[in-house]
Amino acid sequence: MTTTRLRLFAYGLTVALAAPVAAQVTTLDAAASYKLGAAPTVNVQQSLPSDPVDVLTFPSAGNNSAGIHTYGSSSGSFGSRSSGAGIYNVNGSFHIVQTVTNTGSSTQLATFNFDISPGFISNNLGAALTGGQFLSAGLSFAITRDGNPIYNSAATLTTNSGGTTFTSSGDTSLYGGSGTYYFINGVTKSIALGLLGAGQSLVLDYTLSSFANGNTVPGAPNPLGPQLLFVPGQFVLGNGVPVAFINGHIVDVGPQNPSGVGGSHASSGDPFDINFTGNPVFSGIAAPTSANVVLSAVPEAATWALMIAGFGATGATLRRRRAQAATRRSSNAVASLAGIGRPNR
C-alpha cells in the first residue's frame, strides 16, 4: 500500500509527498467582507503567491462592530471565524484547491481521510429583539473531487422577535446544542474517491465558510436566565507541536441582563473556551487535525488474467474429482446389486 499524506490542520488540505504521488496547490485564498451600518461593503483578500494567507480585522463604528479571522497555508493550519454586533454583515472563507497525481505504474484505489475540528455558532442576545431585528450566524464545509461533491455540511442559527431556529444540511451529525448556542463536534471522516489510474490526477477542492449578520439596537434591559454551554474536547498547539488537550466541559453561564446591541458568531479552526458571561475566549493557536489520501494498489489486467486462469484450473480439478467420485459411487452401487462383496452367512 502506498500513501500520500495530506496533512489537514484545522481543515487544511496540505500534502507531504510520498511516492508514487505528486501534488500541487493551485488555489489558496483567504477572503472576507464586512459591512457596518449604512457604510459600504469592504472586501479583503489574500491569495497565492502569498503563503500563508491571513485576513484578520476588527472594525467598529459606533454600536456596530465586526470580527474576522480567515487564514491558512499550504502546509499548516487554517480556519474561518466571523462575528459581529449591532448592525453588521460579515463573511469569511478559506479556499484551497489541490491536484493529486498517481505517478506510479499501476491503478490505485484512493481514499480520503480527514478530521473536522470543534467550533461553535451562537447568537448573543442584547436588548429584546423587536420588529425586523434579528441575529444570524452559520458555517459550511464543502469538499469536491473533480467538481463532484464528496462531502458537505452546513448550519445556520437565526434569532428574531419570534424566537430561534437552527437548520442544518448534509452531514448533520456534526452539530449539538440548543437555544442560541450550537457546538461543532470534532470528528474523523473517511471517503472513497474511486480508482486513480497510472498517471491520472484528481482535484480536491475545499471551502470552509463562515458568516455572521444582524440588525439590533440598544433597548430596554432584557433579563436572560442561566445557560449551560458545552465546549467539545480539543487539542491546542505550541510552536506547531501539540502541547495540551482541553477536555470537553460545561460552562455555567450565569443570569444576564443586557440592554445593548446583540451579536452573533460562527467559527471553526480555532481552539476556544467560553467565559462565565457566555462570550468566546480563543487560545490564539491552531488546533491540530490531520488528513491523508491513501492509494491502495489494485490488480493489473495481466494479474486478473492469471487469477482467472487459476480459478479455471481450480474449477477443472474440482470437476474431475467430482466425476471420479461419482464413478466410484456408481461402481459400488452396481457391485452391491450384483451381490459382490456381500458377507457369507
Side-chain angles (χ1 to χ4, degrees):
M1 178 180 292
T2 308
T3 303
T4 178
R5 296 292 300 175
L6 278 149
R7 303 290 298 176
L8 183 73
F9 283 88
Y11 312 106
L13 294 177
T14 308
V15 173
L17 298 180
V21 176
Q24 180 183 11
V25 174
T26 57
T27 299
L28 187 68
D29 288 323
S33 67
Y34 64 89
K35 177 179 173 63
L36 299 179
T41 298
V42 177
N43 295 291
V44 186
Q45 183 174 1
Q46 287 190 7
S47 305
L48 287 174
S50 296
D51 185 3
V53 290
D54 196 338
V55 173
L56 177 65
T57 182
F58 295 90
S60 63
N63 290 321
N64 308 319
S65 63
I68 305 168
H69 192 201
T70 294
Y71 61 93
S73 73
S74 62
S75 60
S77 63
F78 75 74
S80 184
R81 173 168 21 125
S82 294
S83 60
I87 301 173
Y88 59 98
N89 191 328
V90 179
N91 295 273
S93 70
F94 183 85
H95 183 209
I96 185 168
V97 180
Q98 186 162 256
T99 300
V100 179
T101 303
N102 174 12
T103 60
S105 60
S106 63
T107 297
Q108 304 284 310
L109 289 169
T111 304
F112 183 39
N113 306 302
F114 64 97
D115 294 342
I116 287 184
S117 295
F120 74 99
I121 306 169
S122 68
N123 292 335
N124 306 311
L125 294 173
L129 301 177
T130 61
Q133 296 183 55
F134 72 93
L135 297 167
S136 187
L139 288 167
S140 68
F141 309 89
I143 303 175
T144 67
R145 181 225 160 131
D146 299 327
N148 299 309
I150 59 173
Y151 180 83
N152 70 87
S153 182
T156 298
L157 183 67
T158 301
T159 303
N160 55 33
S161 60
T164 298
T165 58
F166 176 78
T167 60
S168 60
S169 60
D171 183 3
T172 59
S173 68
L174 295 185
Y175 311 104
S178 62
T180 58
Y181 170 86
Y182 280 77
F183 57 88
I184 291 87
N185 284 300
V187 295
T188 299
K189 300 290 181 179
S190 182
I191 298 174
L193 300 178
L195 295 175
L196 190 63
Q200 291 186 340
S201 300
L202 61 83
V203 177
L204 287 175
D205 185 313
Y206 177 80
T207 303
L208 165 62
S209 299
S210 62
F211 78 88
N213 57 67
N215 184 349
T216 69
V217 297
N222 180 25
L224 301 174
Q227 301 179 78
L228 297 177
L229 306 182
F230 177 71
V231 178
Q234 55 198 312
F235 280 100
V236 295
L237 288 176
N239 297 321
V241 179
V243 295
F245 181 80
I246 304 173
N247 291 319
H249 58 280
I250 294 174
V251 177
D252 187 350
V253 178
Q256 309 290 317
N257 197 32
S259 59
V261 297
S264 59
H265 175 105
S267 66
S268 181
D270 290 333
F272 69 96
D273 208 335
I274 297 175
N275 64 21
F276 69 95
T277 65
N279 294 317
V281 178
F282 294 95
S283 69
I285 52 181
T289 59
S290 62
N292 62 78
V293 168
V294 178
L295 300 183
S296 304
V298 295
E300 291 290 336
T303 304
W304 281 115
L306 289 173
M307 290 172 64
I308 292 170
F311 292 149
T314 300
T317 300
L318 290 175
R319 285 193 295 274
R320 284 196 301 271
R321 289 177 178 175
R322 284 197 294 268
Q324 292 169 356
T327 299
R328 287 194 297 271
R329 287 195 297 271
S330 178
S331 298
N332 290 338
V334 171
S336 176
L337 289 173
I340 300 175
R342 289 181 181 175
N344 294 326
R345 296 190 180 184

